[in-house]
């Protein structure tokens, strides 16, 4: 008999579909996110949610009643590209961010998360901050080059790197592009350009897992013949090692202050997101590895360069992730692609892992 999912929506818009005839046990949960960056691909997030629903369909078709309830979830605003921080919904769910603070987060147009959730009908009634689950497993595309380059089908993800997002507002003096001698300028745009080059140079110098990205630079008044008096710059630095991540943050801060001062500009800082590196549950990672091998797939342990809802769920329940290859390591790009046979392999590993954990 088909077990339908009992769907609940919580106050930050997270959605949970629970399959169970027994109400007393915390569920085994899988899931991911269905939001994407504006220029994102079709697999990032969606794949893990759809595979979770596919697992439920397979259990229904096979008439399998699991000992433990199963829940398939998708969390609000995992990307964080519009409203900061990223992984917002899962962070609120695990009690890592007050609901009020999340609902009050605004985008560049001043729109509030809370208002937008109401507008789209996802300001749910279920409470947040009291997570109720046995374990969490997330299936996701790797979004990097490792599995594809090595020809390995499955990643058993046991760690996830630290993330630091900062917004800098650099203020100078707008002036005439033709009449203002170079020595008299306070060009916020120039400081932004120096900072952009520094972040990349620094990441290369630190080496190892260090990455650094200036993904957004907005100049004001953004006119060809006006020296910019304001630049709003985002800095995304990440590392698997917390000490090195702190070193990178300190170097960016020192450089920005010095470059701004040399140009007669000022700098204001706003922290958008900061998450330390995460170690997932070793038992769960070993189970993923075992399930992959049992199905005859090549598998390797690995870290995640991207942030995921799983990193929040690890705070409240044993968690790990299953990766499948991204062709060419491309992601956050409409050309994102994973071969159908790899999508199927990942979903089968998810099924095996969930069967083992739910029985
Ligand atoms: O930025 C990230 O790593 C994730 O896609 N939110
Ligand atoms: Mn994702
Ligand atoms: Mn993403």
């Amino acid at each position: 008999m088909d077990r339908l999912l009992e769907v609940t929506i919580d106050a930050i818009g997270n959605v949970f579909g629970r399959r169970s005839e027994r109400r007393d046990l915390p569920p085994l949960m899988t899931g991911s996110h269905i939001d994407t960056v504006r220029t994102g691909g079709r697999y990032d997030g969606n794949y893990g949610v759809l595979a979770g629903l596919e697992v439920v369909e397979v259990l229904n078709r096979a008439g399998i009643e699991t000992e433990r309830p199963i829940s398939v979830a998708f969390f609000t605003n995992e990307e964080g590209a519009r409203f900061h921080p990223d992984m917002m919904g899962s962070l609120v769910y695990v009690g890592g961010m007050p609901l009020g603070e999340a609902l009050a987060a605004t985008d560049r147009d001043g729109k509030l998360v809370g208002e937008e959730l109401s507008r789209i009908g996802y300001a749910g009634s279920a409470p947040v901050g009291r997570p109720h689950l046995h374990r969490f497993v997330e299936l996701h595309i790797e979004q990097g080059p490792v599995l594809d380059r090595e020809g390995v089908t499955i990643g058993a993800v046991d760690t996830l790197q630290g993330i630091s997002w900062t917004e800098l507002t650099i203020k100078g003096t707008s002036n005439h592009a033709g009449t203002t001698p170079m020595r008299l300028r306070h060009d916020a745009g120039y400081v932004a350009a120096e900072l952009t080059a520094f972040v990349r140079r620094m990441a290369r110098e630190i080496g190892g897992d260090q990455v650094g990205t200036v993904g957004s630079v907005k100049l004001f008044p953004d006119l060809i013949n006006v020296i910019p008096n304001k630049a709003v710059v985002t800095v995304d630095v990440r590392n698997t090692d917390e000490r090195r991540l702190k070193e990178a943050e300190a170097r960016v801060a020192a450089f920005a202050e010095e470059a701004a001062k040399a140009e007669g500009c000022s700098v204001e800082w706003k922290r958008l997101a900061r998450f330390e590196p995460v170690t997932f549950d070793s038992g769960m990672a070993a189970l993923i590895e075992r399930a992959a091998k049992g199905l005859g797939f090549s598998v390797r342990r690995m870290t995640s360069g991207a942030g995921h809802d799983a990193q929040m769920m690890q705070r409240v329940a044993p968690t790990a992730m299953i990766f499948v290859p991204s062709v060419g390591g491309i992601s956050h790009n409409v050309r994102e692609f994973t071969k159908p046979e790899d999508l199927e392999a990942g979903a089968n590993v998810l099924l095996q892992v969930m069967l083992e954990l739910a029985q």
Side-chain angles (χ1 to χ4, degrees):
M1 151 187 188
D2 275 6
R3 284 272 167 224
L4 298 178
L5 296 181
E6 181 194 326
V7 177
T8 51
I9 303 174
D10 74 13
I12 192 65
N14 297 320
V15 179
F16 304 89
R18 182 189 168 106
R19 177 184 192 261
S20 149
E21 71 300 334
R22 298 187 50 175
R23 305 197 57 73
D24 54 346
L25 286 173
L28 167 63
M29 192 181 286
T30 186
S32 192
H33 60 97
I34 62 171
D35 61 307
T36 78
V37 295
R38 196 173 64 241
T39 57
R42 66 184 68 178
Y43 304 97
D44 178 1
N46 291 318
Y47 169 49
V49 178
L50 290 172
L53 294 175
E54 182 65 22
V55 165
V56 168
E57 285 222 4
V58 166
L59 296 178
N60 280 345
R61 275 202 301 271
I64 295 175
E65 296 297 353
T66 51
E67 181 60 28
R68 184 171 288 281
I70 280 178
S71 176
V72 182
F74 56 87
F75 298 98
T76 299
N77 187 33
E78 186 279 342
E79 293 296 353
R82 178 183 171 196
F83 297 105
H84 311 305
D86 52 350
M87 286 75 72
M88 181 188 276
S90 48
L91 182 62
V92 171
Y93 176 74
V94 301
M97 180 179 192
L99 174 63
E101 188 184 329
L103 295 174
T106 56
D107 67 6
R108 281 201 174 124
D109 303 323
K111 291 240 174 57
L112 294 161
V113 165
E115 287 170 359
E116 290 296 274
L117 281 176
S118 301
R119 184 175 64 79
I120 63 173
Y122 277 84
S125 53
V128 292
R130 277 175 279 147
H132 180 65
L133 68 156
H134 170 59
R135 282 190 175 34
F136 186 80
V137 55
E138 180 169 0
L139 173 61
H140 203 287
I141 54 171
E142 178 200 331
Q143 302 183 281
V146 174
L147 293 174
D148 184 49
R149 195 177 51 204
E150 295 181 2
V152 173
T153 305
I154 299 292
V157 184
D158 50 16
T159 55
L160 186 147
Q161 69 178 343
I163 301 174
S164 164
W165 284 2
T166 307
E167 180 183 84
L168 291 84
T169 301
I170 302 158
K171 291 193 173 158
T173 308
S174 60
N175 212 327
H176 195 296
T179 60
T180 312
M182 295 312 284
R183 68 180 191 289
L184 297 181
R185 294 183 178 213
H186 306 298
D187 183 342
Y190 174 66
V191 176
E194 285 188 300
L195 179 62
T196 302
F198 173 79
V199 167
R200 179 180 171 88
R201 199 169 54 245
M202 175 199 70
R204 303 293 291 257
E205 277 166 19
I206 293 178
D209 293 331
Q210 185 62 49
V211 289
T213 313
V214 170
S216 174
V217 177
K218 296 236 177 297
L219 299 183
F220 301 85
D222 194 20
L223 299 169
I224 185 168
N225 57 356
V226 180
I227 300 166
N229 68 327
K230 187 168 92 168
V232 180
V233 182
T234 61
V235 178
D236 174 326
V237 286
R238 308 192 196 197
N239 199 309
T240 50
D241 177 311
E242 176 63 10
R243 189 184 54 74
R244 285 181 167 253
L245 182 53
K246 282 201 173 91
E247 178 197 328
E249 288 176 311
R251 287 179 61 177
V252 168
F255 181 87
E257 293 293 344
E258 204 180 299
K261 192 165 167 235
E263 183 65 19
C265 293
S266 65
V267 185
E268 289 159 22
W269 300 80
K270 187 177 162 197
R271 170 152 282 178
L272 301 181
R274 181 60 165 92
F275 301 119
E276 294 194 359
V278 169
T279 301
F280 288 125
D281 180 81
S282 57
M284 289 279 286
L287 170 56
I288 289 165
E289 223 170 2
R290 207 168 52 245
K293 283 178 185 158
L295 290 167
F297 298 129
S298 53
V299 56
R300 58 157 286 169
R301 289 290 183 100
M302 64 191 296
T303 191
S304 173
H308 296 287
D309 294 308
Q311 74 185 87
M312 303 308 172
M313 305 308 277
Q314 174 58 39
R315 297 186 187 190
V316 296
T319 294
M321 295 187 73
I322 306 164
F323 272 177
V324 291
S326 293
V327 172
I330 296 285
S331 183
H332 282 189
N333 178 323
V334 290
R335 288 178 34 240
E336 184 179 89
F337 180 70
T338 295
K339 293 174 193 146
E341 58 270 28
D342 290 340
L343 294 173
E344 190 180 333
N348 276 317
V349 172
L350 178 68
L351 173 62
Q352 292 310 316
V353 165
M354 291 185 70
L355 274 173
E356 182 150 337
L357 291 174
Q359 295 298 47

